[in-house]
Amino acid sequence: MRLRLLAVAHFLERANRAQVAAITKISRRIVNQWISNYLSQGLSGLESNTNYIKYMI
């Protein structure tokens, strides 16, 4: 959750999504997803999706 908050904080400080991805060393696709979730759902959109984790195993 901390990394997601950090990514959103950089975005809100006027960094574009590509810059946020480079700063956090996370793929742009994931950064886009986190920021989109934050913009549409607020902080609750940044909570981890446990269903996704179940299918990774």
Side-chain angles (χ1 to χ4, degrees), residues 4 29-30 48-57:
R4 294 171 190 215
R29 182 183 69 82
I30 297 299
S48 62
N49 185 352
T50 56
N51 292 332
Y52 176 74
I53 294 170
K54 288 180 189 176
Y55 293 108
M56 288 179 60
I57 298 174

Side-chain angles (χ1 to χ4, degrees), residues 22-52:
I23 292 167
T24 57
K25 297 181 181 358
I26 301 292
S27 74
R28 248 185 347 182
R29 182 183 69 82
I30 297 299
V31 169
N32 284 335
Q33 182 179 353
W34 290 349
I35 292 172
S36 295
N37 288 348
Y38 172 77
L39 292 175
S40 65
Q41 302 170 17
L43 289 177
S44 64
L46 295 180
E47 293 176 1
S48 62
N49 185 352
T50 56
N51 292 332
Y52 176 74

Side-chain angles (χ1 to χ4, degrees), residues 6-18:
L6 180 64
V8 169
H10 283 298
F11 178 74
L12 294 175
E13 290 176 356
R14 309 277 185 208
N16 65 39
R17 293 173 189 213

